[in-house]
């Protein structure tokens, strides 16, 4: 559990560094980007190792329908994350939401908090949810102005639907390969 917590601290610290200590980040110059990237990569390694090695400590037992709800939430999270990737005009909700990638992370975290009741999951997904909420607050405070982009055309929506379904399917397959049933027992 210590590795998971340490990884979460590094993840949050590396991501918040630019917002909370902008002068120190500027002082690092271009090499600072590499340093931050290495810290983020290290944080991911620690998070994965810590989560996978954590003892299962049940805090609550989610009903099985929440696992299915998580699947729907994840499909929506893939859509929202992908909706931010289009150049120029954006698909819904990226054309309405200032931080679609962070919104997708929040949905991912909420869905997984609903479907998992163990302590390690609460630390991981609750920590990621708190990080995403804090990121939105910090970004909005530092850069309050925002102009919503134009709405994308039908072709973008079709591509986004296909990409979202493919990524959802691949993610489900990876979960199954790792021995975690993404759709319940």
């Amino acid at each position: 559990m210590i590795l998971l917590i340490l990884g979460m601290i590094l993840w949050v610290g590396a991501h918040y560094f630019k917002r909370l200590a902008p002068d120190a980040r500027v002082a690092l110059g271009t090499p600072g980007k590499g340093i931050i990237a290495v810290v983020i990569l290290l944080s991911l390694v620690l998070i994965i190792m810590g989560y996978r090695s954590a003892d299962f400590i049940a805090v609550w037992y989610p009903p099985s329908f929440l696992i299915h709800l998580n699947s729907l939430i994840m499909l929506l999270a893939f859509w929202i994350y992908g909706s931010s990737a289009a150049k120029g005009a954006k698909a819904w909700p990226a054309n309405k939401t200032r931080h679609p990638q962070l919104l997708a992370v929040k949905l991912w975290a909420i869905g997984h908090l609903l479907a998992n009741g163990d302590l390690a999951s609460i630390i991981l997904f609750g920590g990621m949810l708190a990080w995403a909420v804090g990121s939105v607050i910090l970004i909005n405070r530092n850069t309050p102005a925002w102009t919503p982009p134009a709405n994308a055309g039908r072709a973008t929506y079709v591509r986004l639907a296909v990409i979202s379904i493919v990524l959802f399917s691949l993610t489900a397959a990876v979960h199954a390969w790792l021995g975690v049933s993404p759709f319940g027992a």
Side-chain angles (χ1 to χ4, degrees):
M1 198 80 66
I2 296 295
L3 291 178
L4 174 60
I5 294 168
L6 181 58
M8 290 301 301
I9 291 168
L10 285 175
W11 174 270
V12 172
H15 281 88
Y16 283 1
F17 181 61
K18 176 181 175 182
R19 303 280 175 203
L20 296 176
D23 294 336
R25 172 58 194 95
V26 169
L28 289 175
T30 303
K33 290 181 181 180
I35 293 168
I36 296 298
V38 168
V39 172
I40 290 171
L41 182 61
L42 176 62
S43 74
L44 284 172
V45 169
L46 290 173
I47 288 168
I48 292 166
M49 288 174 51
Y51 185 74
R52 294 208 28 107
S53 67
D55 291 332
F56 183 85
I57 301 170
V59 176
W60 73 295
Y61 295 95
S64 62
F65 78 90
L66 290 178
I67 294 170
H68 303 297
L69 179 60
N70 178 45
S71 295
L72 289 173
I73 292 170
M74 285 308 304
L75 189 55
L76 178 61
F78 279 118
W79 172 276
I80 292 171
Y81 196 90
S83 69
S84 69
K87 301 288 185 218
K90 305 284 186 186
W92 176 89
N95 64 339
K96 306 281 185 214
T97 304
R98 182 174 184 180
H99 309 287
Q101 292 178 353
L102 289 169
L103 175 58
V105 170
K106 289 188 267 188
L107 286 172
W108 166 79
I110 289 168
H112 282 76
L113 281 169
L114 292 174
N116 297 282
D118 62 294
L119 183 60
S121 293
I122 291 169
I123 291 170
L124 172 59
F125 302 117
M128 287 295 190
L129 177 60
W131 163 74
V133 169
S135 293
V136 168
I137 292 167
L138 288 173
I139 293 167
N140 288 347
R141 184 181 306 151
N142 290 342
T143 316
W146 178 67
T147 303
N151 192 20
R154 184 175 311 193
T156 299
Y157 281 84
V158 171
R159 277 192 306 273
L160 182 56
V162 171
I163 290 168
S164 296
I165 291 168
V166 167
L167 288 176
F168 176 83
S169 299
L170 288 172
T171 302
V174 168
H175 275 72
W177 177 68
L178 291 172
V180 178
S181 176
F183 306 113

